[in-house]
Amino acid sequence: MKENNFVRNELIEPREWKDNRGILSKIKNALFSSWADTIITLFCVLAIFLITKNLLQWLLFDAVWQGEDRSVCATVSQGGIRENGWSGACWPFIFNNFSTFLYGDYPVSQTWRIGLLGLLALISVIPLLILQVPFKILNAIFTFIFLPIIGYILLRGGYFSLPLVDINSLGGLSLTFVIAYMAISFALPLGCILAFMRLSKNKLISLPATIFIEVMRSFPLIAILFGTIFLLPLLFPGYFDSNKFMRALIAIILFSSAYMAEVVRGGISSIPKAQYEVGQALGMSKFLTYFLIILPQGLRRSLPAIINTIIGIFKDTSLVYVISMFDFIGIVRRLTLLPDWLSPVTPITGLVFLIMVFWVICFSMSRYAKYLERSIK
Amino acid sequence: MHKSLAYFKNVKFFLLLGILALVAYLIGYKYNLFSSYAFLNNRASFDIGQSLLEYKPSDTFWRAILVGFVNSIYVAVICIILSSILGFFIGLGRMSKNWLMSRICGAYVEVFRNIPLLLVILIFYFLILFLLPEVRNSYSWGDILFLSKRGFYFPNVPYLGVFLPLLIIITIILHYFLRPKVTGKGVWIFYLAELSFFILAIFLFCYFSAVELPKKSSFNILGGVRWTPEFLALVVGLSLYSAAFCAEIIRAGIMGVEKGYIEAGEALGLNYWQIKCKITMPIAFRIIIPPLTNSYVSLIKNTSLAVAIGFPDFVAVTSTILNQTGKAVEMVFLWFIVYGALSLLISFVMNWFNRKMVSTR
C-alpha cells in the first residue's frame, strides 16, 4: 500500500538568526537583495542621474535669469547675445509677463479687484477645508452664496462706483480659477439632483436624467464646447452675443455635472434601504429624507471619487484654449508668439512654467484628498 | 447579469425604440436635418496633413469626414496598445520590492496624473520640434528609417493594412481549430509555433511585395510613409498620460487579490513567477477590466484633443467643415450619432466581455 502522506520524524535544524534591524541591512534588503535587484538599482540610479542632470542643466545652470527682451534669450546667429549652440530656460519671459499670466487682458488699473476677490476666496475656502474649524454652515453659506455674488460685483463692476469691465477680458490663471470654481460649485448640486433623478422609480423623471448623463458622458469635452459655442446663439438668439465666457461656462458645468452625477449615484446607491425607512418612520417627506439622511452618507462614501472628479474638472477647464479663450495655457501660448520674446527656447520655457504651476495646484488638491480620507475614517 | 440582453426580448423595448425613431424622424423632418446633409457632397477645398486613406482636396466633404474618423481610430488603437503595455510595466514596477523602482514609478504616475492632457500633448509637440534635427541632418537607421523635424519616415508596404487584419483573423481561426485539447507540458510549443507563423507570414509578405523606401532628396525625403510631428506628439503624449492611469488601475487590481490565494500558492511550492502568472494575473484581470474599459473609452474621447495641435482627427475635420460652411446643427448631430454609436458599441462589448469572464469561472 503506497503511503500518500508525509510525516516528518525529526526536527529541522534551526536556522541562524539574521539581524535585519540595522539601517545598512534595511538598505541592502530594499535595494540590493539579489543580483537582479542590484542591476535594477544601478539602472534606476543611472536613469535618475541622467534625467536630473540634463533637466537641471537646462532649467537652472544654463538658464537666463535677467533681461528685458529677446536678445538675452537668443543666440548670436538669431540676433541675441548668447553664444551659438546655447540652449537654456528663458526665465525673464515669465518674470516680465507675470501679471499678464495672472490676470489676462483685464485693465491693469483694476487688477486689484481680482486680487481682492482671490484674497476673499482664500479666507472663506481655507477654513471650510480644515476639519477642526467650527461654524461650517455659516462658512459654507458665505462661500457658496455670497462669494459668487461678491465675485460678480467685483469682476464685472458697474455697482458701488466700480468701473464696468468686460468679463471676456479676464484671462490667465484667474480665468482658470473662476471657471473651475463656478463649474465645481454648480456641478456638485446639479450632480446630486441628477443622481436622485436617475435613481427615481418614476420613468418620466429617470429617463431624461439618464439620457442627459449618457449623452454628456459619451461626448468628448471639446465636442461639447464647440457644440455649445455654435448652438447656443442659435437656440437663444440675442442672449449670447460675443459672450464666450458664459457659453464655455455652461458647457463645462453641464459636462461636469454628468460626471459628478455618476459618482454621487455610486455613493447613494450603496446605502441600505433601512435608511430610507428610517425617514419614513420619522414622518419625513421624501425631500427631507434625501437631503438630511441619504445625501450626507452617500457623499461621505464617494468622497475620494468626488475629489478625483473635482481635480479632473480643474484640469479640463484648460480645454477652453481650443475655443481660443485665453485662460492660463492660452495666455502663455499667446505671449510666446509675440515678437518681443521670440526665440527657440521661449515656448518650452512657457510650457515648463505651466506644468510646474498646474502640478503644484493639482498635487496639493490630491494631498488634501488623502488628508480628508484619513480624517473621515 | 443578463439583464441587458433580456431587455431586448421585451416587447416594450421595441415599442419605445419605435416611438423614439418616429420622434427623431419628425424632428428631423421639421428642422430639415436629413435633407440638409446634401451639402456634404460638395468639394472639400482643404488639405489633410496625414491620412491613412487616400485623400485629395478635390474630394467631397464626406470623404474628409471619413478620413478624419479613420485617423481618430488609428490614433486610438495605437495609443490603447501602447498605454496598456507601458501601464502594465509601470504598475508592476510600482509594486516592486526595490525601493528605488517603486518610487520612480510612483513619481511617474504622480507627474502625469496632476497635469492636464492638453499640456502633455503641447509639451511633447514642442519638444519634438525643438529636439529633433532638421531634415538635412535627420537621424536615420540604415537609410530606411528617418526621424527629423518633418516627421518619421518608414518604408511603405502596400496593402499591409488589408493583410494584417486578415492574418489576425486567420491566426485566431487556426488557433481555435488546432489547439491541443489537453493542458500541461508541451503547450508552450504550440504558442511558440503560432507566434513564429505570425511573424514569418508578415516577413514573407513584406519581402515579396514592392516596398517603397523613403529616399533622401535635396530638401526633403520622398516616398515612404510619413508620420507627422503632430501625430507623433499626439500618440506619445496620449500613451504616456493614459499609461499613468492604467498603471494605477493595474496596481489596484494586483493589490485586490486576497492574500490567502498567494499564500496557498506558496504552500504548494510555486515560485514567484508561477504565482504571478497562474494566481495573481487571472484574478487581478477580472478586477481590472471595468475601470480599464472606462480608461479606453476616455482615451478614444481624448483623441479629440488633436484639434489643439493641428492633427486632422474626426473633431478637427468636422470643425473645419463647420467653420467653412457654417452648418453647425448638422455637424453637431453628426458628432452625436458617431460618438453615441461608439460609446454604445464599447459598452456592449465590455458587458459581453465582462459576462464571459465572470460566468466561465
Side-chain angles (χ1 to χ4, degrees):
Chain A
M1 185 124 117
K2 258 205 278 198
E3 287 287 335
N4 283 339
N5 54 359
F6 171 70
V7 175
R8 193 185 286 279
N9 287 325
E10 37 310 295
L11 289 176
I12 311 178
E13 288 296 321
R15 282 184 289 184
E16 44 179 83
W17 174 64
K18 274 197 260 194
D19 192 349
N20 272 344
R21 295 173 303 177
I23 184 79
L24 271 180
S25 60
K26 280 211 180 72
I27 295 180
K28 177 170 177 287
N29 274 342
L31 292 177
F32 301 107
S33 58
S34 69
W35 275 113
D37 226 11
T38 317
I39 297 178
I40 293 178
T41 306
L42 287 176
F43 177 69
C44 289
V45 165
L46 194 68
I48 293 180
F49 175 68
L50 283 177
I51 293 177
T52 42
K53 171 177 174 296
N54 287 324
L55 216 58
L56 286 180
Q57 186 95 15
W58 198 86
L59 286 179
L60 291 180
F61 301 131
D62 283 345
V64 181
W65 293 93
Q66 278 174 340
E68 288 301 321
D69 62 352
R70 68 176 292 265
S71 63
V72 298
C73 292
T75 62
V76 170
S77 56
Q78 294 155 1
I81 59 177
R82 301 275 150 211
E83 62 276 359
N84 280 339
W86 169 86
S87 172
C90 182
W91 297 121
F93 168 62
I94 309 288
F95 295 150
N96 289 1
N97 293 324
F98 200 65
S99 68
T100 320
F101 290 156
L102 276 185
Y103 303 123
D105 291 326
Y106 213 71
V108 183
S109 58
Q110 304 295 319
T111 53
W112 60 269
R113 287 152 58 172
I114 304 182
L116 183 61
L117 182 64
L119 199 63
L120 275 177
L122 274 179
I123 295 178
S124 64
V125 166
I126 288 187
L128 196 61
L129 295 178
I130 303 179
L131 284 176
Q132 284 95 358
V133 174
F135 301 116
K136 281 265 183 292
I137 299 206
L138 284 176
N139 206 344
I141 292 181
F142 180 74
T143 313
F144 291 112
I145 300 183
F146 287 117
L147 196 59
I149 300 179
I150 297 177
Y152 181 74
I153 295 176
L154 271 179
L155 286 178
R156 186 176 167 271
Y159 309 100
F160 302 120
S161 69
L162 286 171
L164 198 66
V165 178
D166 181 19
I167 195 82
N168 288 302
S169 66
L170 188 65
L173 194 57
S174 32
L175 182 66
T176 302
F177 274 128
V178 165
I179 295 183
Y181 183 77
M182 300 293 292
I184 294 170
S185 48
F186 274 98
L188 257 175
L190 269 179
C192 294
I193 296 177
L194 278 172
F196 278 126
M197 279 173 69
R198 189 167 179 179
L199 286 174
S200 147
K201 294 276 189 320
N202 190 350
K203 271 284 183 347
L204 205 60
I205 300 181
S206 74
L207 204 59
T210 313
I211 292 178
F212 176 78
I213 294 177
E214 290 305 322
V215 162
M216 282 294 159
R217 277 175 53 116
S218 57
F219 277 4
L221 181 55
I222 290 196
I224 293 182
L225 276 173
F226 277 137
T228 44
I229 293 283
F230 285 110
L231 285 187
L232 277 181
L234 294 179
L235 288 174
F236 303 101
Y239 281 113
F240 287 108
D241 306 327
S242 73
N243 198 349
K244 208 180 259 192
F245 177 73
M246 288 302 297
R247 289 181 264 169
L249 202 59
I250 290 180
I252 295 187
I253 288 176
L254 291 177
F255 184 76
S256 324
S257 59
Y259 276 84
M260 198 65 88
E262 280 298 283
V263 168
V264 172
R265 183 175 80 111
I268 291 178
S269 58
S270 66
I271 292 186
K273 263 210 137 26
Q275 304 292 327
Y276 295 90
E277 290 166 4
V278 162
Q280 280 179 332
L282 285 175
M284 290 171 146
S285 71
K286 257 210 171 150
F287 171 70
L288 273 182
T289 330
Y290 286 152
F291 192 59
L292 290 177
I293 301 181
I294 310 290
L295 200 56
Q297 295 180 52
L299 287 183
R300 189 169 299 184
R301 282 186 199 210
S302 53
L303 199 59
I306 287 182
I307 300 209
N308 271 337
T309 314
I310 289 181
I311 298 180
I313 293 175
F314 182 77
K315 292 194 298 180
D316 283 340
T317 58
S318 61
L319 282 177
V320 295
Y321 166 65
V322 193
I323 53 173
S324 60
M325 262 180 86
F326 294 112
D327 73 320
F328 198 31
I329 298 187
I331 227 151
V332 171
R333 292 292 312 136
R334 191 181 86 184
L335 289 183
T336 309
L337 297 171
L338 287 181
D340 314 352
W341 289 99
L342 206 58
S343 88
V345 295
T346 316
I348 310 270
T349 312
L351 286 170
V352 166
F353 172 64
L354 281 171
I355 286 182
M356 288 197 293
V357 173
F358 265 109
W359 192 85
V360 165
I361 297 176
C362 292
F363 189 66
S364 343
M365 283 202 271
S366 66
R367 279 286 129 186
Y368 174 73
K370 289 217 171 64
Y371 153 76
L372 205 60
E373 231 182 305
R374 257 183 300 128
S375 351
I376 292 280
K377 289 233 187 335
Chain B
M1 228 192 315
H2 297 271
K3 200 158 157 229
S4 66
L5 210 57
Y7 199 49
F8 278 132
K9 301 190 181 123
N10 202 347
V11 176
K12 267 198 285 189
F13 173 74
F14 285 107
L15 201 62
L16 192 62
L17 201 62
I19 293 179
L20 275 179
L22 191 66
V23 167
Y25 178 70
L26 286 176
I27 294 181
Y29 190 67
K30 180 178 190 313
Y31 286 106
N32 290 332
L33 276 174
F34 302 127
S35 59
S36 62
Y37 275 102
F39 75 94
L40 287 176
N41 286 323
N42 293 344
R43 228 179 80 121
S45 313
F46 58 92
D47 197 9
I48 289 185
Q50 175 190 332
S51 57
L52 213 49
L53 310 173
E54 296 287 322
Y55 175 79
K56 312 179 292 295
S58 58
D59 285 330
T60 61
F61 280 131
W62 279 119
R63 179 88 184 164
I65 293 178
L66 184 68
V67 167
F69 183 69
V70 169
N71 271 349
S72 281
I73 302 287
Y74 189 44
V75 171
V77 166
I78 293 183
C79 287
I80 284 179
I81 297 175
L82 281 181
S83 73
S84 305
I85 298 177
L86 193 61
F88 177 71
F89 282 116
I90 294 180
L92 273 191
R94 186 91 199 269
M95 314 251 21
S96 147
K97 274 184 309 181
N98 193 333
W99 183 88
L100 256 187
M101 188 61 154
S102 68
R103 290 298 182 267
I104 290 183
C105 294
Y108 174 90
V109 168
E110 279 306 310
V111 162
F112 277 100
R113 279 178 56 159
N114 288 322
I115 46 182
L117 176 57
L118 186 62
L119 218 47
V120 172
I121 295 181
L122 279 179
I123 190 136
F124 277 112
Y125 185 52
F126 284 101
L127 274 181
I128 285 180
L129 290 181
F130 184 60
L131 293 175
L132 288 183
E134 296 282 334
V135 191
R136 276 172 256 124
N137 315 324
S138 34
Y139 299 134
S140 73
W141 287 269
D143 270 349
I144 301 181
L145 309 171
F146 293 97
L147 183 62
S148 69
K149 260 199 238 287
R150 282 216 53 176
F152 179 58
Y153 289 88
F154 56 93
N156 180 23
V157 179
Y159 299 120
L160 190 65
V162 177
F163 177 70
L164 262 181
L166 278 179
L167 185 64
I168 292 178
I169 294 176
I170 292 177
T171 318
I172 294 178
I173 295 178
L174 282 179
H175 175 93
Y176 272 107
F177 280 121
L178 292 180
R179 70 178 163 178
K181 297 291 186 290
V182 293
T183 54
K185 289 206 176 117
V187 185
W188 64 271
I189 301 182
F190 175 71
Y191 288 133
L192 193 64
E194 201 175 28
L195 194 64
S196 4
F197 162 72
F198 191 73
I199 296 181
L200 198 67
I202 295 182
F203 263 150
L204 287 178
F205 184 78
C206 293
Y207 187 70
F208 282 115
S209 50
V211 177
E212 187 190 348
L213 291 175
K215 258 184 279 295
K216 229 174 155 173
S217 74
S218 42
F219 290 111
N220 204 350
I221 297 181
L222 299 171
V225 179
R226 174 180 170 225
W227 277 354
T228 53
E230 288 89 18
F231 177 79
L232 291 173
L234 187 64
V235 166
V236 168
L238 205 49
S239 312
L240 290 181
Y241 182 80
S242 302
F245 288 90
C246 284
E248 278 299 284
I249 293 172
I250 289 176
R251 184 176 83 110
I254 295 182
M255 292 207 313
V257 177
E258 288 147 14
K259 263 185 73 133
Y261 289 106
I262 302 180
E263 286 168 0
E266 284 174 2
L268 283 174
L270 302 177
N271 63 29
Y272 178 72
W273 288 112
Q274 281 173 320
I275 293 180
K276 268 272 186 308
C277 292
K278 291 197 189 304
I279 298 180
T280 320
M281 277 307 151
I283 302 178
F285 196 54
R286 239 169 286 145
I287 305 180
I288 285 173
I289 290 184
L292 201 63
T293 352
N294 271 338
S295 172
Y296 289 165
V297 169
S298 82
L299 197 151
I300 294 180
K301 290 191 294 177
N302 281 335
T303 58
S304 63
L305 275 162
V307 72
I309 53 171
F311 178 72
D313 87 312
F314 179 62
V315 171
V317 166
T318 42
S319 65
T320 313
I321 298 179
L322 207 163
N323 280 323
Q324 275 195 352
T325 61
K327 307 223 182 242
V329 179
E330 288 85 353
M331 286 293 120
V332 174
F333 201 61
L334 198 67
W335 286 340
F336 186 75
I337 297 176
V338 168
Y339 278 111
L342 216 56
S343 71
L344 263 180
L345 185 73
I346 293 191
S347 65
F348 273 145
V349 168
M350 170 191 125
N351 275 338
W352 168 81
F353 199 53
N354 220 3
R355 226 177 301 132
K356 188 162 176 292
M357 274 286 131
V358 169
S359 58
T360 45
R361 284 299 170 101

